[in-house]
Amino acid sequence: MVEAWFIILWFTLTTYMILDGRTFGAGALLHVVATTDEERRQVIGAIGPLWPWGEVWLIAAGGTLFVAFPRVLGVAFSGYYLALFLVLWALIFRSMSLEVRGAVDHPLWRSFWNFTLVVSSLALALLFGVAMGNLLRGVPLDASQEFQMAFFTSFGVRGHVGLLDWYTVSVGLASTLVLGAFGATMLVHKTDGPVHERSRRAAAWLWAAGSVMLAVIAVESWFVRPSLLTALPGRPLAWLSLFACIAGAVCIYSGLRRSDLKSESRGVVGAAIFLYGLSGSWAA
């Protein structure tokens, strides 16, 4: 039963990161793929009016923790207190930037909320990656099975660790690159003209950089938590997840090579499959 609840938790969290993570990437690339206000409106339109629907999955993940793992929920909320508040404020500012950007027809108003959207989107992609890095590295539980961590300590991964160290920052950077690549892939599918072409180039560069960073993290994980890699051969679900990663990567590559709607849709679906496979291999 525990395994079933864990799978539900993994599925809800990963689905949230896919539905909302692609909008993090698109928002972070606002000034990269769009140079005029009209082009930026095209990017905002691609994010779409239904972006809050993805956050329902975050609530579902919280409900799963509350029902199945209340002790984990309590310990995590107290241990990650500062990080959770940073995520909350970033979500608030991102939501405001999307909702009120067009409320006042003035360049200064739009510029401010454009900047807010970029910064909050980057912060969310980085913070969720850092959170994943903390889960992979492990946290220092005390005798009462609780933990308290500063924002950073010595930047090392042993002893009295903080939220930020060289390993968690690496995972955060990889998360930012991968979600940026996913956002660019979505923009390739949903935009046209100069934004479409810039998004295609950004997607190619970001997927390449993200792949390199993921390989770096695999090497780092061997030193930080070697059990993560040594356990893979004996876990069939991990192999299935790695196969999903390969299938998703093939779809991304083939989808970005052509400019027709079907290929671009395949690229977006491939990116989602890749993220499911990536998170699934870590969860397994």
Side-chain angles (χ1 to χ4, degrees):
M1 192 63 183
V2 174
E3 289 81 2
W5 278 113
F6 185 76
I7 291 173
I8 293 172
L9 178 63
W10 160 77
F11 180 75
T12 53
L13 278 174
T14 306
T15 302
Y16 165 71
M17 284 309 303
I18 288 172
L19 294 178
D20 225 15
R22 60 183 182 174
T23 66
F24 298 165
L29 294 171
L30 182 65
H31 291 296
V32 175
V33 301
T35 59
T36 66
D37 188 62
E38 183 179 352
E39 290 177 351
R40 291 180 188 120
R41 283 200 300 269
Q42 192 177 359
V43 174
I44 300 296
I47 293 175
L50 303 181
W51 61 266
W53 290 18
E55 296 179 358
V56 174
W57 289 93
L58 183 62
I59 298 172
T64 303
L65 276 173
F66 179 77
V67 171
F69 308 104
R71 177 64 173 163
V72 174
L73 181 66
V75 171
F77 264 63
S78 61
Y80 291 129
Y81 192 77
L82 177 59
L84 287 170
F85 263 86
L86 290 175
V87 168
L88 179 61
W89 278 109
L91 285 170
I92 290 172
F93 277 108
R94 172 176 165 272
S95 301
M96 291 176 63
S97 62
L98 289 169
E99 292 294 336
V100 307
R101 178 187 180 276
V104 177
D105 187 17
H106 193 282
L108 183 60
W109 176 270
R110 290 194 297 271
S111 296
F112 172 78
W113 289 112
N114 288 340
F115 175 77
T116 303
L117 176 61
V118 172
V119 173
S120 59
S121 297
L122 280 171
L124 286 166
L126 180 65
L127 286 168
F128 279 115
V130 168
M132 176 59 72
N134 274 267
L135 291 176
L136 294 175
R137 180 205 60 199
V139 295
L141 296 176
D142 57 23
S144 60
Q145 298 299 299
E146 296 182 352
F147 68 96
Q148 296 289 337
M149 289 192 298
F151 205 57
F152 61 89
T153 54
S154 63
F155 243 65
V157 295
R158 298 285 186 268
H160 184 55
V161 296
L163 288 168
L164 299 179
D165 57 44
W166 57 266
Y167 180 72
T168 60
V169 170
S170 296
V171 180
L173 179 58
S175 170
T176 304
L177 291 172
V178 170
L179 292 181
F182 192 8
T185 305
M186 181 191 73
L187 291 176
V188 170
H189 176 57
K190 290 191 172 185
T191 60
D192 52 28
V195 176
H196 176 88
E197 295 305 319
R198 295 189 197 107
S199 298
R200 182 179 297 277
R201 290 194 295 269
W205 281 101
L206 287 169
W207 280 120
S211 300
V212 171
M213 200 63 209
L214 289 173
V216 170
I217 290 172
V219 176
E220 292 179 345
S221 298
W222 181 262
F223 294 98
V224 177
R225 285 288 298 277
S227 59
L228 289 173
L229 300 178
T230 56
L232 284 177
R235 301 191 177 180
L237 287 177
W239 285 102
L240 181 63
S241 298
L242 291 174
F243 177 77
C245 283
I246 296 171
V250 171
C251 290
I252 294 168
Y253 178 75
S254 62
L256 291 176
R257 288 193 65 185
R258 299 181 180 179
S259 297
D260 59 281
L261 188 61
K262 183 178 179 180
S263 297
E264 292 165 0
S265 300
R266 183 166 64 248
V268 175
V269 173
I273 293 172
F274 178 81
L275 288 178
Y276 271 122
L278 186 64
S279 67
S281 62
W282 289 343

